[in-house]
Amino acid sequence: MDTISGYVEHIIFHNDENGYTVMNMTVDGDELTCVGSFQDVHEGVYVEAEGVFSDHPVYGRQFRASRARITVPAGGAALERYLGSGAIKGIGPSLAGRIVKKFGEDTLRILEEEPERLAEVKGISEKKARDIAAQAEEKAHMQNAMIFLAQYGISLAMSVRIYEHYQDQLYQVLRENPYRLAEDIRGIGFRIADEIAHKVGIRPDSEFRIRSGLCYVLAQAGTQGHLYLPAEVLLARAGELLGTDPQEMEKYLMDLAIDRKIIVKTAPDADGTPQRQVYTAQAYHLELNAARMLYELNLLTGEDEDRVDARIRALEKKDRITLDPLQREAVKRAACCGLLIVTGGPGTGKTTTINTMIRYFRSEKKSIALAAPTGRAAKRMTEATGYEAATIHRLLELSAVSDETMEEIRFERNADNPLEADVIIIDEMSMVDMYLMHALLLAVAPGTRLILVGDRNQLPSVGPGSVLRDLIRSGCIPVVTLTHIFRQAQESDIIVNAHRINAGLPVRLDNNSRDFFFLRRDDAAVIQQSVLYLVAKKLPGYVKAQPSDIQVLTPTRKGPLGVESLNAVLQKYLNPPDGRKAEKETPEGIFREGDRVMQIRNNYQLEWEIRGRHGIPVQQGCGVFNGDCGIIRRIDLQNELMEVEYEEGRMISYTFRQLDELELAYAMTVHKAQGSEYPAVVIPLLGVPQLLQTRNLLYTAVTRAKKSVVLIGSADVFQAMIDHATEENRYTTLAERIREITEIESGKQF
């Protein structure tokens, strides 16, 4: 391990979020590039660092720092340079010179012990002296905390978060129960807390460790779509994680239940055997409350069915359309029921059914609200109906919050301020998770009709739950399943083959089609080039669209045909470097003006605005969500800002430290494309992991294409996906909760 010390001459790159820095230093009179994590680094400060020298193939000799700290060198000139570097806000080079001239070698002692004496310097008031002293003291406290945390191997970025949360209490927390970090600080999970606990000397069989491990496994289940875990599964996973006998953790499971951290219910499994189900308290109450609200909405409206039939037929005659019996039944039930589910695959007339419902309710002078889970799905709904549709978040009037977790979201529309609509129609319900469904139900007043539309065979929501399937599975809510494929839809091989895939039937891959093609290729490099050729050259003219409108969908993130590799290739050719386009390099890659990008996590705080003439904001709001796509319109290198335009003209400014929330979107996973429709879709199918070779993933990918879909790769993989009908198994009990409440309330009526 080598040690260097010197002045920071120039900062090439700095990420405020994790402290990662590339900078030029002067070390013993020579210039050296140093790379590592540094907190609060400024040009002009003095740095001591430990690490190793390395030779970068492009940038040459570098010093890679594993540990570093900003310090104050001895000597008047050095002190003056340090104070004037910007290390302490309010002190520039000129004022630093006067301070050092006044106090000389005693400057540091004055700052630490007699800061009020700074007021003796011309240009420093008593108030400014106190402010400078407070900053110096805070920096000293933070520096001490950084040194303390570094001995446990905690990174700089993590150390800053820990210090900001606990301040001086961090020493007590780390020594007594470092597992609190996993509960209190976003981004510090159980594994990191466990590493710290090991270094601090916490015993492997500590109560703190086992309780935290159980909660961690349960929380991780939520990220996999589950609302609960069977006790045996939870204990087995926790035992593997902790290296502890599952039987020895039973008492801690009960302790957590007593502390109301978890809820344990017993219910029969598929074989009728009693099974303990373990929920987080929040997940259990989400399902229970949602079931209660659904029951309260699920009422007959008292409409005269003959009158409704007559009104529907009059609308058919007026609009010169003919509904099939199931479509007519769906419109009739929408009029007569407080709650309705309409489901069906592509080409079965869901849009025509929704449009007829809208015209029916408008003829009845009912107010209507339309919404979908994403901006892209809402835009499609608007185009299909001619009436404005919003995202569910906008419909509920999302408020800014101080945390990323769904449970911290605040909506202006809720039980105390419900939506002012007689009828609410939600499209793309397969994408709605349990959290969002609960928030929606809170804002729907009893007496309002709620109509939920979706395709149950699509992939389930990214978030926890399997809402649409559970509602249908409950058997307690009116459901109309549209099955007839209309003649116009039958002319599309995309739609016909999507239904064949969903039914597990063979699909002809002879390419005697106008919109469904399969190119057999067995080499990933060749497939990459074929994808590029199709997107850049072949498909735009064929479907009369721009290359930017063609979407590449892939099952995987990694590998030569994964999202990351394909995005790099497509960016290089679709939006190449150009001296007129600003670009920003990050550790993950390059962002360039004109790039298509996607938000990869929910951020409920980011503010957006829609601008009118002369760039004046005409509408403002907050929130951008996982899967939202936009175009980079401007990169401001001087002010470290990047501006992205999303659907509906929403403009969002990202600071450079927020760029880890974005990734290129020339290619995306199939999951991210839910609710979207593109003129043409290209799907590489080679080397797909076994777990991702599923029928509903293939079905979802194919049904994203409007005019043309091209699959490239292995016909064997294609057939294996059709044959793999098993749906993702999610541990949810919304259907059971609905049935329980329905049975209880029905019993009260007799």
Side-chain angles (χ1 to χ4, degrees), residues 123-165:
I124 299 181
S125 64
E126 289 186 11
K127 181 179 183 301
K128 188 167 186 176
R130 288 195 298 270
D131 289 343
I132 292 171
Q135 281 192 65
E137 183 179 10
E138 173 66 16
K139 285 182 179 294
H141 284 314
M142 178 174 277
Q143 188 70 44
N144 290 335
M146 299 300 106
I147 294 170
F148 174 78
L149 294 169
Q151 67 182 309
Y152 299 116
I154 303 173
S155 72
L156 178 67
M158 210 174 294
S159 297
V160 172
R161 253 182 273 160
I162 293 170
Y163 178 76
E164 288 176 347
H165 185 86

Side-chain angles (χ1 to χ4, degrees), residues 6 22 25 60 64 143 170 202 235 272 277 289 334-335 357 360 369 475 563 623 649 664:
V22 181
M25 294 177 58
R64 305 191 70 82
Q143 188 70 44
L170 73 89
I202 301 294
L235 291 171
Q277 300 165 339
N289 293 338
M357 288 177 181
Y360 176 88
V563 166
L664 295 175

Side-chain angles (χ1 to χ4, degrees), residues 60 74 111 267 281 300 486 527 551-553 585 627 652 665 687 716 749:
L111 279 170
L300 294 176
F486 286 85
I527 293 175
Q551 186 62 56
V552 178
L553 299 180
E585 185 173 0
I652 294 179
D716 290 340
Q749 297 172 14

Side-chain angles (χ1 to χ4, degrees), residues 7 37 62 64 80 91 250 254 298 356 507 607 661:
Y7 290 100
S37 289
Q62 295 181 339
R64 305 191 70 82
E80 184 177 332
I91 300 181
E250 279 282 356
M254 292 303 102
N298 191 18
T356 306
V507 174
E607 296 179 352
E661 297 190 14

Side-chain angles (χ1 to χ4, degrees), residues 106 360 487 513 658 669 683 742:
D106 209 25
Y360 176 88
R487 183 173 59 82
S513 170
Q658 294 172 314
T669 61
I683 307 168
T742 301

Side-chain angles (χ1 to χ4, degrees), residues 473-490:
R473 189 166 60 86
S474 74
C476 299
I477 298 169
V479 178
V480 177
T481 302
L482 304 178
T483 56
H484 176 68
I485 303 175
F486 286 85
R487 183 173 59 82
Q488 185 177 356
Q490 289 175 357

Side-chain angles (χ1 to χ4, degrees), residues 298-496:
N298 191 18
L299 302 171
L300 294 176
T301 60
E303 298 286 331
D304 184 312
E305 293 191 15
D306 291 337
R307 176 181 172 276
V308 171
D309 274 330
R311 295 298 299 270
I312 293 172
R313 295 187 186 282
L315 284 172
E316 289 182 87
K317 184 176 181 180
K318 180 181 178 181
D319 297 332
R320 296 180 179 179
I321 61 171
T322 301
L323 301 177
D324 83 348
L326 287 171
Q327 288 178 304
R328 193 174 295 114
E329 177 69 12
V331 179
K332 181 178 176 180
R333 289 206 183 191
C336 298
C337 301
L339 180 62
L340 175 67
I341 298 168
V342 179
T343 184
T348 56
K350 292 193 298 294
T351 298
T352 299
T353 304
I354 292 173
N355 282 332
T356 306
M357 288 177 181
I358 291 171
R359 285 190 283 274
Y360 176 88
F361 288 121
R362 284 180 63 84
S363 72
E364 295 286 299
K365 310 300 183 187
K366 303 289 187 184
S367 58
I368 305 168
L370 306 179
T374 67
R376 288 170 289 166
K379 182 179 180 182
R380 282 181 60 198
M381 196 178 189
T382 299
E383 293 169 348
T385 63
Y387 296 94
E388 184 178 357
T391 64
I392 299 174
H393 289 88
R394 286 189 66 188
L395 180 72
L396 299 179
E397 299 175 18
L398 172 71
S399 297
V401 294
S402 59
D403 195 273
E404 286 188 356
T405 54
M406 190 73 185
E407 59 265 29
E408 295 296 328
I409 295 179
R410 297 289 180 269
F411 292 106
E412 294 298 324
R413 294 293 181 173
N414 49 45
D416 297 323
N417 181 29
L419 292 164
E420 297 171 359
D422 298 314
V423 181
I424 300 170
I425 303 176
I426 307 294
D427 199 8
E428 295 291 351
M429 269 299 300
S430 63
M431 300 176 66
V432 176
D433 64 28
M434 195 63 246
Y435 289 109
L436 191 55
M437 185 63 183
H438 185 268
L440 173 66
L441 291 171
L442 281 174
V444 180
T448 301
R449 291 177 175 86
L450 179 61
I451 301 164
L452 309 174
V453 184
D455 183 349
R456 72 168 307 279
N457 294 305
Q458 298 281 350
L459 288 169
S461 58
V462 174
S466 187
V467 174
L468 180 60
R469 293 177 188 173
D470 280 353
L471 295 181
I472 295 170
R473 189 166 60 86
S474 74
C476 299
I477 298 169
V479 178
V480 177
T481 302
L482 304 178
T483 56
H484 176 68
I485 303 175
F486 286 85
R487 183 173 59 82
Q488 185 177 356
Q490 289 175 357
E491 297 173 1
S492 165
D493 286 328
I494 294 174
I495 292 175
V496 171

